[in-house]
Each structure stands twice: as structure tokens, then as C-alpha cells.
Amino acid sequence: MSSTMAEHQAAYNSRIEELRSKEFPMIQGDVYLDHAGTTLYPKSLMDCFVADMTTNLYGNPHSASISSQRSTTRIDDIRLAALRFFSADPADFDLVFVANATAGIKLVADAFRAAPEGFHFLYHQASHTSVVGVREEAKTSRCLSNHEATTWVSGTSSQNEAGQGVPTLFAYPAQSNMDGQKFPLDWSTKARQVGREAGGQVFTLLDAAALVATSPLDLANVDAAPDFLVLSFNKVFGFPNLGALIIRRQAYPCFQHRKYFGGGTVDMVLSIGEQWHSVKSTRPHEALEDGTLPLHNILALGHAVRLHRELFGPMQEVAAHTMFLRQHLSSRLCALHHTGSGLPVCTMYSGEDPGDGTYHGPTLAFNIRDATGAWVSTAEFEKLAVLKHFHIRTGGLCNPGGIAAALQLQPWELKQNFSEGFRCDNGNDIMKGKPTGVIRVSLGAMSTISDVDRFADFVEEFYATSSDTITPGLSAATPKLSGLYVDHLVVYPIKSCGGFRVSAETTWEVRREGLAWDREWCLVHLGTGQALSQKRYPRMALIKPSLDLVQGKLNITYVCPKSPNDVRVLSVPLSTDATAFKTITPGCAASSRVCGENVLARIYAADEINDFFSGILETPCALARFPAGGAGQSMRHAKAHLQKHQRSTAPKAASQAGVDTPPDSDNEVDKPKILLSNESPILAISLKSLDALNSEIVRSGRGSPVSAEVFRANVVIGHSSSDKTSFLPAYDEDHWSTIAIGSHRFRMMGSCRRCHMVCINQSTAEKTDEPFITLTKTRKFDGKVFFGTHMCWTPRRMDDPLPARIQVGEAVIVDP
Ligand SMILES: *Cc1c(COP(=O)(O)O)cnc(C)c1O
């Protein structure tokens, strides 16, 4: 880059920095890097829109009233402004307002499907899912690699659908939404030429949704233009949610066969006696915009087009700025190498660009490998990114062909992954050692150098280190020292709400499925049936249940953090009296979802109960009960198993389970039952490990010590300060295979994987980024973060009728 260009970019960047605080207050300290999803809207756009809406009365168009006429005039003006944004002459093009790019694609598919002989459909492999779906309407369809597409449009392909008497629709993205690759705009002219030479007709559908967000698109040359072009304005301006289908008028006859008509698109309809109608024919959009137009969105678009230019200058400036940032980020990420092994940290899927945006837009797709070369889970990466206030997208990105090509996933592998439980965005992202998705960073007009630097610093800090920090534990051969005891016991009657500390005087019942009354209740969203969690509703931590076994009551207290005098209480009987619950209508069982599994929980009928929780959480929800000892389908099984970092140093446990198979992995019968807990019957943590973690948090200056509560354990194990136990290292629990508490035995089921829910302060419901960040630095194995251990009670005999009882203060003996 020449020095004058660099100066120009630096000056533009400073201008954007200034704009940021005034126009984008919603970002605050966050780094928004998901502009390909939806970009951000400036504050003055909202101000102009509100001022317009509150000053002028806009009626439904198509009537003679002043308010209606005002709307009609504004819509005409804005339609023209939107065409001009792409230098499109209204004599050559018409613009149809649609809900989004997808709706524009569907409208084109609607027209072609109605063609008398159907149509051939060709689509580029980098196409968005919304384009791929068109193939289901076609007579024949083919997915073309980039090479095949290039050959096809040059007329040298051995396979040419164009001359076979039916129209061909050729679809491709102007820019891939996955990795930012751009495709030639002259393919439209070439494709039409291929059609003419073969004596047939070829039409082109250009998906410009990703391109136009940050690049100019010029339709001044009508002969070179695509026949159909789709986009979503929210990707360009952030607001409003609105799309467009731009039709080259010469291609308009394609719509003559479209069958459906709706209000607004017909001049006359006969229904009684005879079925006849006449479609509006003066201007294409009149025949294609079914129903009431999204008037308010269109009005907002008018302001958006004008303001975008005022704030950012012409699109050429936006393109240059975002490409400058992309180059900077790309070179920083490519420069990262692991200190020990020298391996690169990032595997880039987005190619090189000369820097002027000829071949790529400002989107980067990549994955990360650790120092050993193993892939980092994109879901884990995202967890940490969220905590550090980065907004990025990970996963398959609605681009099936692009992802399969980048990750070299064959159809059989994808199908195998699917049958093994992989679904779009379910967190199952490394399968058989290969990633199934990518990390995508996409930049927008309001991105700055400091955004991309912060992101590169983040990747460097957390991923460009030497290998996973393995905390050495004692080998299994070392005799275990004791001096451990139960420091306290906590029951969480309502999943994700506060804990109830068992008093030191009481012995507490332990069942196969966990501590008595633990996670027997949950709150479910009334709309989705989904069990609510602190991750989304941190305030749940402040809902404090307590168990009164004498009165037979579950008492719940909530103190509003903002006004401590606002104390709310509720009491729910512990009995499972059927009349307390909503009756279940056969065939529409009230199944709820807990951690992605369907469970049959029974919902309380009393408004008083459900209003109590809905009021606190400000979301419509209900209390549900999952009967203890639940039977049949509603029962769930523990998912915890030994982790790799444990297996290598726990030969005893590994040999019991057979080489390489995690214990419990195959045998349903051997998996203990659980109620609503996430993974296992009982979760234990050790205060020795917590001390180690807290010293590290303090030593590194990252924050202040966290309390044991954030880990939401049932059994908190303390250590007496006798000389002997001081030898016991922190995290020794990773390597235990059984423990005894009093006279009862518990089998260890593997380390507990952690997410950023451990960052919610359980007394204030506030979120910080500790202890997750320090855990990531010190307790990451195989790309996942662990703290604490799952376990279950193992009765001495399977038919042992007495439940176990344990108590605070009892000794804990390791591997007795
Ligand atoms: C976002 C996007 C779409 C889909 O846009 P919608 O607004 O969701 O309809 C299609 N294609 C590309 C290239 C995109 O980036």
C-alpha cells in the first residue's frame, strides 16, 4: 500500500472512531464483528425515523386521502432512491420490496416453477442455503464448483442445459457469505450468451446480499446486469429489516406464468359464477408485491440510504476501509504461531486478496488449532469470545457447499455426522477429529482498526500459547492421604435457581439420581417449553428456594437487587398432589426441553405460582415439577464420563472401563438416572482446587477471588490444615475413582465441563469474566474447560432399600 493510501485509510479510520461514540452507543465496550449477519444502525437513523413517524401521518397507500397519498409518494421516491443506490435506471430495472433476500429468491422460484415445461437450475457451490432450496422446484438441477461455473459460462462445458427447450436459471452469489470470496459480475452477460448460442434462454439470479453490505454495485450497464438480483437492506444499513428483488425489465416476462395473486397485485378478480382475474401489468412491482407493503420499513429505508452516505461517504470508501481492516486482521492472524511447536494458530479458509477487494470482501473464515495440532471447538471459542465481548458467528453459516468444500467434508462424512447427532448449530462441532463449522469475522463500515486489533490480541492471548496446561495430579499409585471432609452440602431444588445449604445438624438423603429434592423443579418458558437457565436469565440466581421438610413446603424468597425492600415470597407444597398441576391433554403432552432432551414435566396450575416467577424474570414462564424416581420416557440418564486428561493418569478407572471407551458410554443400564441436572447425579468440588484457582486469579491480577457458589456443586469438599493434607495437590479429584463419605461409596464419573455460567455472581446475579478466563488459562484440556467432578452414589447392593444419608463434617476417604 502506498503511503498516501495508508494516510487516507488512517484518516478515514479516525473519522469512524469519532462517529462511533455518537452514532453507535449500543456497542459500548463490545467488539461487533458479525456485520455479515446484520450490520449496526446509527443512532441518527433511528432519530430521523422517529421524527418522521411522529410528525407525518402515513396511511395505507392506494386511497385518495392525504395520508395515503403521502405514503404513495414516499414509496415511489424511496423505490427510486434504492434503485439509484445501485445506479440502476428505472427504465431498465424495477425494484420489488420483499421481506428479505430469501423472499426475493422465492419469488423468482415461484415464477420459474410455473413455466410450462419447468426449468433447469444451476447454482454455484458457494451459494447460500436460501438459493440452494430453489433446486427442489426445478426439473433438473446441478451444483457447480467454481471451475465448472467458469467453464459453463464460457460456453466450453461438455454439459449444456441451455439448448434443451426449457429456460435455465443460473444462480450464484456476488460474494460468499461464508468466506467473503467474490465471483465475477460479467457471468450474467456470458451466461445469456451461452443461452443464445444454444438456441435457448438462460437467466441469471445474482445473490448480492453479502456483497452490497460493504461494496458498491453498479447496474448502469443494463446489458451486463443480472436478470434478477436479491439483497437484504439490513445488511447494508442495519435497519430496517427489508429486502429487494431487482428485476431487469427484459427478463420480466419470466413472471408471466406465476400463478398466485394477492391483494394489490390484480386489477380485477371474479369469484362468483366465473373464476377470472387480471394481473396488474403496468409496472412489474405492482404485479409482484402481494398484500400491504411494509410501509414503515420502506420509510425507514429512505432515511437509511441518505444517512449512510452522509456518515460514511460513497460505498467505494466503505469498501476501501473494510478491505484495509481485513488485510490488517488477516496478516495479524496469519502471523500467529505456537511458541513451542511453531505451528500456525489459524487455518484460514478465506484466500489472499491484493488488498483492493477484487477477489474478496471483508469477511474472514478460519479455524484454530492448539499447539498439538488438534482443532479447537468453535463452540468453546465462542464461549470465551462472548465473555470477552466479541460478537462473531461460528458454525455452518447457511452455506452448505462452501463449508463442505473448505473443510473437505464428503457427503458420507456429513451424513454420518448427521446420524450421530450433528445438527446445524448444536455445539457438536468437532466430529471424528474434524471441524464441522468455522469461525467467521465480518467487518462493516463502522468497524475500526482497534476492533480488529482487539480481536487479534484475543486470539493471540488465548490460543497462541504452548500446549494445554496439564496440572499434574498424583499418580494412581501414590497412597491417598486423607484429612478431607464434607465442608457443606447444597441442594438446588429448582434447576438454575439459588442453592439451599443443608444445615450441619441434618443428615441428608442421597439417592441414585442425586441428593434428595435436587433439581426436582424447573422453570419452563410458556411459549417454547424450554427449561430456563441462568445463562439467559442471570436473575434466577436470586430466586432462593429453601426446603421445610417438617411443614412439607418449598419456600421461595426473592429480594430485588435494585430495591432491597422489595422482598417476594412464595410457598409451594412438597406433596405431588395431582390437582396442583395442569391436566395433560392426551396427544399434546406438556413435554419440556432440558439440555436439548424432551422430558415430561408437570406444570403447576396456580396463576399465583407462575406469576411469581414470570414477574421476577420478566418473561412468561411456569414452575414445573419432575417427579422424583420418575419413570418411563421422562427419565434421563447421566452423560458425564471420564475425560482424556483424566484417563491418561487414572489407569485404574480406565482399565475398569476397557481401553479407550469412556466408562458408561455404551451401557445405558449402567448410567445412573438423573432428574433435571445437566449431566450427572452429584457434582462435587474441592476447596483445595478453589484455593488454587483463586490464588491464580489474584496473582495474575485478572480479578478478585470467586466463591464456591458459582460452581453450583452439591458436595463441597474441604481439607483440614493438618500437615499431611497440605501435600495433597489441587485438582487431585481429577484422578480419584471412588470416594467414601461416612460409610457410603461414590463413584467418580469424570470432570465437569464449564461454560461462562460460572461467571454469574450467585448473590448479585452480575456477570464478570472470572473465573472462566483463568480456568481457560489453567484448566483447559482437549479444548474444553473443567472444574469439579461428577459422581454418583453406588449402593452396596442394588436392592439396598435404605437410601444413604450423608452429613456435613463427615470424613471423605479417597479410593478406599
Ligand atoms: C444473508 C444472506 C442471505 C439471506 O438473507 P436473508 O436476509 O436471511 O434472506 C442470502 N445470501 C447471502 C449471500 C447472504 O449473505
Side-chain angles (χ1 to χ4, degrees), residues 36-37 99-103 105 126-131 173-177 207-211 230-232 234-235 399 440:
N100 45 38
T102 304
I105 296 164
S127 295
H128 190 274
T129 301
S130 296
V131 169
Q175 178 180 315
S176 159
N177 68 310
D207 175 0
L211 179 84
V230 293
L231 66 122
S232 292
N234 47 293
K235 291 192 181 176
N399 197 312
R440 182 182 75 182

Side-chain angles (χ1 to χ4, degrees), residues 272-331:
I272 302 170
E274 193 181 330
Q275 304 208 357
W276 177 88
H277 73 277
S278 168
V279 174
K280 284 190 179 167
S281 57
T282 37
R283 292 185 298 172
H285 71 257
E286 291 187 337
L288 296 173
E289 287 170 345
D290 297 307
T292 307
L293 279 170
L295 169 64
H296 300 147
N297 288 349
I298 296 171
L299 291 170
L301 176 66
H303 297 292
V305 173
R306 179 177 45 79
L307 261 168
H308 191 269
R309 198 182 164 99
E310 274 175 38
L311 295 177
F312 302 109
M315 284 307 280
Q316 284 80 354
E317 289 277 15
V318 172
H321 170 64
T322 50
M323 280 310 288
F324 166 73
L325 298 181
R326 178 199 194 264
Q327 287 297 100
H328 181 64
L329 179 60
S330 170
S331 54

